[in-house]
């Protein structure tokens, strides 16, 4: 029996709710996760700085994407203004650190909390409206926050941008890619565990109920207003933490980086990864971060004999993102997470799959 | 108080407002008949304007030949877009539909920038006189033309929906798809037609704006500005689109006026409609003329 459990299961053998709720359904999956984390802990010693940089990007964008997935994928509320919250977190962390001198170590969660407060305020309309109308309202909030960034000199440094100090613990500065990797890894593991666990609580189940049928959820005693606004708040918290990590990695935050384009990319991440899937958020982020790099490599490969292609690189990158979103929605609307599940299902009963 | 500036801005507001109204009408047309929110509406303007520009400048066609070719191109483009991209999306959740049009908007915007460059390019001279004098106000000829075209389009829409067979079929489809289908209306054709008409009319608006301000990717911002307009007017009301367009057009010019006279905050022209949008959503989420959703379990 024990040996059968250590591998993948060939069917559904869950008999208790406890088994249904576990994070790791089999010992194998737990060992894989632990192994992956050990691998990532050792990674800085042998990965090139370029790959480390990409990994760090996947980390902080992935945290923000998980936040967006909580509001869009789990609660079914559409948010087109996630980049503004991401930006707010970045500015907030730099601002707290620069004005009060609180160490960066505490600034990152504080920035998350501050962004959460803003998200709760922006989320108030979400209690009243839904679907399309909400999408448009969050679009407006994106533009209003962007305008605020360029206007509020005291907070963002206006046109000059804000400087962000490097992350440090007891005077030890995490100022290069190898060191910052661990900060991001810590936050990714913590935030993804938090996210997975959130969905196993009453609140998480309430989110899913609101998504699946909001009227039935309300009849069953779920306070719609509360959970809609709460999911906005939690998603903003994730965005804020992701943004703060971004700020202290780059060391400089400027208001131009948080446009509607980034919001669309965040949405693209969760669509490509799979809406309503925690690990899907990370897969989609990896896809979205790596896609432009692949396009760049491809363009350089053929660019030598096609003139004008290298100049158009920025446009090609953008086009590829737009195209990826369209193609995924048409051919794989459930995203990479679903594809991964299908692959696993195929191997479950491998030689006898009928 | 600078009355001359105020009246000039008000007239500008009305003219730009009618253009917003036309674009919003196209947006509403698609939403009403196919239940799709088109985030790529601004790109229709952009594609139309660049196509016409290319025909006029690159191929040196006269305006009266280039413009109709543009319209025919957009008609076909709209139908193809609906068939290839939007038809598989029927029955998908709202977020997928929204994202697909956002993806389209991203794709076409960067494609246009790639093909025509990122800088604004101006149209060749179409009219002999640059601006004419009406009651002491200088108004650009292209603006007058845009006003005329907009009003003609609006009347055309009215006639189309009230008296033509296709218009009737569209209204029936908007009312209830299944009932329309059972009465022998080809819903597929209606969907294709609404995208085609929307693309065509948006392209007209794009060419008009291009003539006044030059063509650049800034044109696609019209597609974003359309949201305050349709929310104010009601997402599924054609009359609402026109009224909303006029109000938002005047509102942003008034905001500009107050800002330049007293507030000096800057950027109010772009941002004021979005504040208006949030306020409208808080007090009257279904707009002035929109139908209220009533759900049953």
């Amino acid at each position: 029996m024990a040996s059968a459990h250590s591998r993948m299961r060939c069917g559904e053998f869950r008999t208790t709710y406890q088994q249904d709720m576990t994070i790791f359904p089999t010992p194998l999956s737990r060992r894989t996760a632990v192994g992956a984390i050990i691998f990532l802990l050792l990674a800085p010693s042998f990965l090139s700085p370029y790959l480390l940089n990409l990994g760090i990007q996947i980390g902080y964008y992935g945290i923000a994407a998980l936040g967006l997935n909580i509001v869009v994928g789990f609660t079914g509320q559409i948010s087109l203004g996630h980049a503004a919250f991401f930006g707010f977190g970045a500015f907030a962390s730099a601002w707290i650190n620069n004005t009060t001198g609180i160490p960066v170590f505490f600034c990152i969660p504080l920035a998350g909390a501050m962004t959460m407060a803003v998200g709760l305020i922006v989320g108030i309309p979400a209690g009243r409206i839904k679907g399309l109308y909400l999408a448009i309202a969050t679009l407006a909030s994106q533009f209003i926050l962007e305008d605020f960034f360029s206007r509020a000199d005291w907070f963002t440094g206006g046109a000059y941008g804000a400087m962000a100090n490097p992350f440090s613990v007891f005077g030890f500065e995490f100022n290069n890619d190898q060191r910052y990797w661990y900060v991001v890894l810590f936050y990714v593991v913590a935030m993804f565990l938090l996210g997975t666990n959130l969905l196993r609580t009453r609140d998480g189940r309430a989110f899913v109920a609101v998504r699946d049928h909001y009227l039935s959820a309300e009849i069953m005693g779920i306070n719609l207003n509360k959970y809609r606004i709460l999911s906005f708040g939690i998603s903003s918290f994730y965005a804020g933490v992701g943004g703060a990590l971004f700020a202290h990695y780059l060391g400089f935050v400027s208001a131009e980086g948080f446009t509607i384009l980034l919001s669309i990319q965040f949405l693209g991440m969760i669509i490509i990864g799979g809406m309503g899937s925690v690990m899907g958020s990370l897969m989609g982020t990896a896809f979205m971060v790596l896609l432009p790099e692949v396009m760049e490599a491809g363009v350089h490969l053929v660019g030598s004999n096609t003139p004008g292609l290298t100049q158009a690189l920025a446009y090609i990158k953008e086009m590829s993102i737009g195209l990826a979103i369209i193609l995924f929605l048409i051919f794989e609307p459930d995203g990479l997470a679903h594809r991964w599940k299908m692959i696993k299902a195929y191997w479950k009963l491998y030689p006898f799959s009928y | 108080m600078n009355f001359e500036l105020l009246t000039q801005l008000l007239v500008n507001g009305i003219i730009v407002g009618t253009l917003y109204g036309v674009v919003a009408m196209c947006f509403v047309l698609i939403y009403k008949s196919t239940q799709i929110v088109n985030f790529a509406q601004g790109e229709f303007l952009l594609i139309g304007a660049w196509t016409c520009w290319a025909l006029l400048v690159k191929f040196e066609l006269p305006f009266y030949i280039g413009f109709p070719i543009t319209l025919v191109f957009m008609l076909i483009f709209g139908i193809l877009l609906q068939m290839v991209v939007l038809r598989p999306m029927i029955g998908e959740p709202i977020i997928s539909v929204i994202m697909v049009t956002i993806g389209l908007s991203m794709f076409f915007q960067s494609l246009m920038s790639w093909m025509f460059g990122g800088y604004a390019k101006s149209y060749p001279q179409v009219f002999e006189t640059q601006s004419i004098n009406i009651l002491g106000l200088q108004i650009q000829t292209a603006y007058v033309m845009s006003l005329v075209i907009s009003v003609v389009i609006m009347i055309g829409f009215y006639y189309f929906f009230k008296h033509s067979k296709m218009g009737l079929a569209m209204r029936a489809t908007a009312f209830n798809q299944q009932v329309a289908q059972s009465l022998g209306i080809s819903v597929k054709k209606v969907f294709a037609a609404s995208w085609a008409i929307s693309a065509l009319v948006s392209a007209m608006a794009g060419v008009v704006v291009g003539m006044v301000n030059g063509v650049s990717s800034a044109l696609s911002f019209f597609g974003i500005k359309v949201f305050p307009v349709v929310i104010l007017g009601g997402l599924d009301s054609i009359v609402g689109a026109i009224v909303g367009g006029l109000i938002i057009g005047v509102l942003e010019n008034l905001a500009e006026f107050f800002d330049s006279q007293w507030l000096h905050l800057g950027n109010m022209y772009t941002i004021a409609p979005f504040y208006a949008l949030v306020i409208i959503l808080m007090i009257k989420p279904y707009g002035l003329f929109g139908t209220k959703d009533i759900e049953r379990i």
Side-chain angles (χ1 to χ4, degrees), chain A residues 132-133 147 151 214 271 312 319, chain B residues 37 99 114 265-267 285 295:
Chain A
L132 253 177
Y133 290 89
D147 182 57
R151 208 181 281 281
Y214 75 101
I271 279 169
M319 271 167 66
Chain B
V37 185
M99 278 313 288
W114 184 11
L265 290 169
N267 205 17
E295 284 181 63

Side-chain angles (χ1 to χ4, degrees), chain A residues 207-228:
Chain A
F207 287 158
V208 176
V210 170
R211 174 193 68 186
D212 286 348
H213 202 288
Y214 75 101
L215 280 179
S216 317
E218 196 170 19
I219 289 164
M220 284 159 70
I222 289 168
N223 186 341
L224 270 189
N225 264 353
K226 178 187 154 194
Y227 282 107
R228 280 181 174 158

Side-chain angles (χ1 to χ4, degrees), chain B residues 32-47:
Chain B
K32 229 172 131 74
S33 56
T34 68
Q35 305 294 313
I36 286 173
V37 185
N38 186 13
F39 275 77
Q41 198 71 47
E43 276 63 31
F44 283 174
L45 273 82
L46 192 65
I47 296 169

Side-chain angles (χ1 to χ4, degrees), chain B residues 73-210:
Chain B
F73 171 77
M74 289 308 287
L75 202 68
I76 297 166
F77 175 77
I79 293 173
L80 281 181
L81 196 66
Q82 201 275 331
M83 276 168 63
V84 176
V85 182
L86 278 317
R87 202 165 281 173
M89 286 287 112
I90 293 174
E92 293 284 327
I94 209 168
I95 169 86
S96 308
V97 178
I98 287 181
M99 278 313 288
V100 111
T101 59
I102 289 179
L104 282 175
S105 129
M106 233 175 131
F107 179 76
F108 284 116
Q109 198 173 340
S110 38
L111 182 69
M112 288 295 124
S113 309
W114 184 11
M115 286 168 73
F116 297 102
Y119 300 103
K121 298 210 170 68
S122 57
Y123 264 73
Q125 199 81 19
V126 177
F127 303 105
E128 278 105 48
T129 44
Q130 192 66 336
S131 62
I132 50 172
N133 197 329
I134 299 172
L135 303 171
L137 288 166
Q138 288 293 321
I139 298 173
Q140 290 189 336
T141 323
Y143 267 159
V144 177
M145 190 194 84
S146 97
L147 199 62
V148 173
I149 287 187
S150 307
V151 173
V152 169
I153 292 172
M154 285 168 190
I155 294 169
F157 260 63
Y158 172 78
Y159 179 82
F160 177 75
F161 280 113
K162 270 271 153 44
H163 299 290
S164 78
K165 206 172 173 190
M166 194 67 203
L168 201 61
M170 275 188 178
R171 274 164 55 204
T173 314
F175 177 70
N176 189 328
Q177 273 178 27
Q178 277 182 349
V179 171
Q181 212 158 16
S182 69
L183 290 173
I185 292 167
S186 166
V187 173
K188 274 185 187 171
K189 264 189 206 155
V190 167
F191 282 13
S194 56
W195 278 82
I197 294 171
S198 181
L200 182 143
V201 176
S202 304
M204 279 189 195
V207 171
V208 168
V209 182

Side-chain angles (χ1 to χ4, degrees), chain A residues 106-342:
Chain A
F106 299 109
C107 279
I108 292 176
L110 275 178
M114 221 169 130
T115 316
M116 186 170 177
V118 175
L120 288 172
I121 294 167
V122 173
I124 292 172
R128 264 177 69 92
I129 53 181
K130 64 186 177 57
L132 253 177
Y133 290 89
L134 182 62
I136 297 169
T138 52
L139 185 76
S141 77
Q142 161 83 35
F143 284 108
I144 290 170
L145 275 175
E146 245 182 78
D147 182 57
F148 169 76
F149 291 154
S150 62
R151 208 181 281 281
D153 288 351
W154 55 273
F155 183 59
T156 65
Y160 302 106
M163 304 301 285
N165 294 320
F167 188 89
S168 62
V169 178
F170 301 120
F172 181 78
E173 288 199 341
F174 291 74
N175 49 7
N176 59 20
D177 284 3
Q178 271 96 353
R179 291 175 185 173
Y180 204 71
W181 172 275
Y182 292 105
V183 180
V184 173
L185 182 63
F186 166 75
Y187 269 102
V188 168
V189 172
M191 297 303 267
F192 272 75
L193 271 180
L194 206 69
T196 317
N197 278 322
L198 170 76
L199 298 166
R200 305 196 298 166
T201 60
R202 181 194 145 82
D203 290 349
R205 287 194 302 273
F207 287 158
V208 176
V210 170
R211 174 193 68 186
D212 286 348
H213 202 288
Y214 75 101
L215 280 179
S216 317
E218 196 170 19
I219 289 164
M220 284 159 70
I222 289 168
N223 186 341
L224 270 189
N225 264 353
K226 178 187 154 194
Y227 282 107
R228 280 181 174 158
I229 297 174
L230 184 67
S231 86
F232 256 93
I234 292 173
S235 118
S236 312
F237 178 76
Y238 274 83
V241 169
L245 287 169
F246 165 85
H248 295 292
Y249 178 56
L250 293 188
F252 175 77
V253 202
S254 113
E256 277 95 55
F258 312 111
T259 56
I260 179 85
L261 195 69
L262 186 61
S263 286
I264 295 170
Q265 274 174 303
F266 278 129
L267 278 167
M269 286 170 196
I270 64 166
I271 279 169
I272 288 170
M275 272 184 285
S277 156
V278 173
M279 282 325 281
S281 319
L282 204 57
M283 290 183 205
T285 312
F287 186 94
M288 207 48 129
V289 170
L290 296 179
L291 179 68
E293 304 297 323
V294 172
M295 292 316 281
E296 190 167 348
V299 163
H300 283 308
L301 210 64
V302 293
S304 47
N305 29 14
T306 327
L309 212 57
T310 29
Q311 283 85 343
L313 191 59
Y315 301 130
I316 293 175
K317 281 181 183 172
E318 239 176 79
M319 271 167 66
S320 65
I321 291 171
L323 202 61
I325 293 173
I326 297 171
L327 292 179
F328 261 92
L329 281 170
I330 293 178
F331 296 110
E332 186 66 276
D334 294 323
L336 289 172
H338 177 70
R339 181 57 37 194
W340 175 236
K341 232 179 244 171
M342 300 299 283

